[in-house]
Amino acid sequence: EVYMHLQRLNEQIKQRQQQLHLVELQLMEFAITKQALDDIDKTKPNTEILVPVSNGIYAKAIIQDTKKLIVNVGASVTVEKDANSTKKLLNDQEQELHKVKLELSTEMQNMLIKLNKLQKEIEASY
């Protein structure tokens, strides 16, 4: 029974590790996006830029308005926002992700403590 609990705990720890990895990837994506917003804000109108079409594939385009962005706010709804409003939105989302990361890390630490206790129980029974 203890061994089965140990196995379940191991699986849960692996799941938390995967979730943490995904959160960290999203946080990196936010950093890249914020840098891109800074770059666009510094770009003059009618400048030729490369627009990503897919991973490693780009199209040349001319940016006409560097002050307005089209932002997906969910459910396929888009709104026009300026760079500062968009950065604020990203920062809010980033803060939420940091909270999730902290919760996942705390859960994982607690699971590791339980895992160590279970391993000691198993070792003590042999």
Side-chain angles (χ1 to χ4, degrees), residues 17-45:
Q17 287 172 329
Q18 290 172 345
Q19 290 169 330
L20 269 172
H21 180 70
L22 291 174
V23 167
E24 288 170 0
L25 288 176
Q26 286 178 304
L27 287 170
M28 285 191 307
E29 196 172 304
F30 277 128
I32 292 167
T33 302
K34 288 195 293 187
Q35 180 60 50
L37 288 174
D38 288 340
D39 293 345
I40 286 174
D41 202 34
K42 295 174 190 172
T43 303
K44 294 178 184 171

Side-chain angles (χ1 to χ4, degrees), residues 5-21:
H5 189 65
L6 183 75
Q7 292 295 89
R8 281 192 304 270
L9 207 49
N10 264 325
E11 284 303 314
Q12 290 173 342
I13 289 169
K14 285 179 188 176
Q15 289 173 348
R16 294 305 181 279
Q17 287 172 329
Q18 290 172 345
Q19 290 169 330
L20 269 172
H21 180 70

Side-chain angles (χ1 to χ4, degrees), residues 2 5 13 15-17 27 37 52-53 60 63 66-68 74 81 92 99 107 110:
V2 175
H5 189 65
I13 289 169
Q15 289 173 348
R16 294 305 181 279
Q17 287 172 329
L27 287 170
L37 288 174
V53 175
K60 288 184 182 182
I63 189 164
T66 60
K67 301 303 174 201
K68 296 178 189 166
K81 290 186 173 279
D92 292 346
K99 288 178 188 176
E107 281 181 34
N110 291 336

Side-chain angles (χ1 to χ4, degrees), residues 61-123:
I62 295 183
I63 189 164
Q64 295 176 344
D65 187 349
T66 60
K67 301 303 174 201
K68 296 178 189 166
L69 301 163
I70 309 300
V71 180
N72 183 348
V73 291
S76 298
V77 175
T78 57
V79 295
E80 197 172 88
K81 290 186 173 279
D82 64 16
N84 286 334
S85 297
T86 305
K87 284 182 203 173
K88 184 187 178 323
L89 178 69
L90 287 174
N91 285 333
D92 292 346
Q93 292 173 346
E94 188 176 33
Q95 289 306 312
E96 286 301 313
L97 270 180
H98 279 292
K99 288 178 188 176
V100 169
K101 182 179 176 183
L102 181 62
E103 289 171 11
L104 287 170
S105 295
T106 303
E107 281 181 34
M108 207 165 91
Q109 286 174 345
N110 291 336
M111 287 178 190
L112 287 170
I113 290 168
K114 287 179 186 177
L115 183 76
N116 284 335
K117 286 180 183 178
L118 288 174
Q119 285 175 333
K120 288 179 183 178
E121 277 183 45
I122 291 173
E123 288 172 7

